[in-house]
Amino acid sequence: MREIPDDSGDLLALTDGVLAGERDPWANAANAAALVYERMPDLNWAGFYFLRGGGLVVGPFQGRVACVRIPLGQGVCGTAAERRATLIVPDVHRFPGHIACDAASNSEVVVPLVEGGRLIGVLDLDSPRFDRFTAADARLLESLVEKVVAACDWRLAGIDGY
Ligand code: SME
């Protein structure tokens, strides 16, 4: 089995392309969400939640209308954020406290955005396929998130702690 998906170089190179020369968090998050949604097969939602006002608030995304606020420690997003750790959920229906935004979602991966130990938010991907996300996908998304974190001036975004 391949460790890295075929198009991973592509996705990271394209990420560099969309982030180049821009420090605005909303602009970069919007384009990063669009890029992931376009390039990764079998997604029904891809986007960001950001830490604002003590909890996660939905940011730029592609997909159906989503839950606006998720408290830290709740759902897949809030759990990954609180742990500051990537979470792969092969079957969301078996995840205690999963927050169902789109009934079509069956699996999910959430990657936290952290800068110098400070939580910024999370990147959340949903799929209608069970067990859609591999460990290699998670590593790829972590690399992509690292690029987004480094590319933005987070003081412009109203993120808690900035
Ligand atoms: N399912 C997520 C909520 C966000 S939506 O999937 C877009 C969760 O349990 O945190």
Side-chain angles (χ1 to χ4, degrees):
M1 200 176 88
R2 284 190 307 266
E3 272 305 298
I4 307 275
D6 272 343
D7 60 353
S8 60
D10 260 22
L11 183 62
L12 294 178
L14 290 165
T15 303
D16 285 334
V18 303
L19 300 174
E22 184 54 65
R23 299 284 293 158
D24 186 274
W26 304 136
N28 286 340
N31 271 336
L35 185 62
V36 168
Y37 195 70
E38 191 179 284
R39 301 291 300 188
M40 290 189 75
D42 300 328
L43 303 184
N44 61 319
W45 203 91
F48 293 88
Y49 281 84
F50 289 112
L51 184 64
R52 291 155 60 83
L56 296 173
V57 182
V58 76
F61 70 91
Q62 301 276 307
R64 299 187 73 179
V65 167
C67 341
V68 174
R69 292 177 188 273
I70 301 176
L72 287 179
Q74 289 188 26
V76 183
C77 290
T79 303
E82 194 175 61
R83 293 184 192 164
R84 288 165 169 68
T86 298
L87 219 50
I88 299 174
V89 181
D91 178 354
V92 294
H93 311 287
R94 298 170 73 95
F95 186 92
H98 167 251
I99 300 163
C101 292
D102 182 344
S105 298
N106 284 318
S107 64
E108 184 163 355
V109 62
V110 179
V111 179
L113 279 66
V114 178
E115 186 180 56
R118 251 186 309 202
L119 178 70
I120 293 169
V122 298
L123 173 66
D124 178 27
L125 271 57
D126 287 8
S127 174
R129 257 176 60 198
F130 288 98
D131 208 4
R132 158 67 182 82
F133 303 103
T134 63
D137 289 329
R139 298 295 89 80
L140 172 64
L141 293 165
E142 285 169 352
S143 299
L144 184 146
V145 157
E146 244 178 64
K147 289 176 181 292
V148 174
V149 168
C152 300
D153 181 350
W154 297 102
R155 292 168 304 178
L156 304 174
I159 308 286
D160 292 357
Y162 277 85

